Amino acid sequence: MAEGSDDVHDLTVSASTPFNPEIEIQVDLASVKCLDSQVGGHRGIFLSSKDGKVLKRCIAEEINFYRYLAENGISETFFPASPGTMVLSMKIDDEVITNETYLVMEDLTKAFIHPSVLDVKVGTVPWGWPITEEKLQKQIKKREATTTGKLGFRITGMKVREASSMPCSVLLIGFGACGVPSQIV
């Protein structure tokens, strides 16, 4: 659980909530924890709160992307409602978060007891700018060694429950790292 403010500021997130990165959104900080359904990425990138929100650590380019979607009417159809951003400084489990910006969005898995989750990296250029030369070379090698370069996407992780009585099968980071498209299809 989070160490931080006990203040609870409610924000109802719905598909009609417009994205506005300029307003600061508040959530129930006492209930913030690492997202249980996260199957890809670094721990602490995704957080959740008991009031039905997911927080995703983000950079300016992501905020601009969500702003573009909202301004062009795309976000309401294909993406979770995301009313804005918030800046967090807190400790969650062993993670220390200091002045990090998070997108706040609705938790699409909240209605499910055992949600199946898929984390996919879409596109043939899996890096943003600016980037160091060292990281760029590493990302180029990853693109060529995985399905990213061949298919334009890479499955970074997934969690599936095959039957209600069975435990979840979790295929974590690296599952989609194979370079053979036939193993994905």
Side-chain angles (χ1 to χ4, degrees), residues 114 161-168:
H114 301 289
R161 180 178 296 270
E162 296 180 19
S164 62
S165 63
M166 298 180 70
C168 288

Side-chain angles (χ1 to χ4, degrees), residues 85-152:
T85 61
M86 68 181 303
V87 176
L88 285 181
S89 292
M90 60 190 338
K91 182 177 180 187
I92 299 174
D93 301 327
D94 295 332
E95 296 286 321
V96 176
I97 299 167
T98 307
N99 292 325
E100 295 283 351
T101 301
Y102 281 78
L103 282 170
V104 178
M105 53 187 119
E106 69 179 317
D107 183 354
L108 297 177
T109 66
K110 69 183 174 191
F112 299 95
I113 297 171
H114 301 289
S116 293
V117 179
L118 177 68
D119 188 343
V120 180
K121 300 280 187 199
V122 179
T124 59
V125 181
W127 59 83
W129 305 100
I131 187 170
T132 65
E133 183 63 30
E134 179 182 351
K135 185 164 183 172
L136 176 61
Q137 293 308 315
K138 184 177 176 182
Q139 292 294 319
I140 289 171
K141 285 180 185 176
K142 185 185 290 185
R143 176 183 65 187
E144 298 311 316
T146 67
T147 58
T148 301
K150 296 172 184 72
L151 298 177

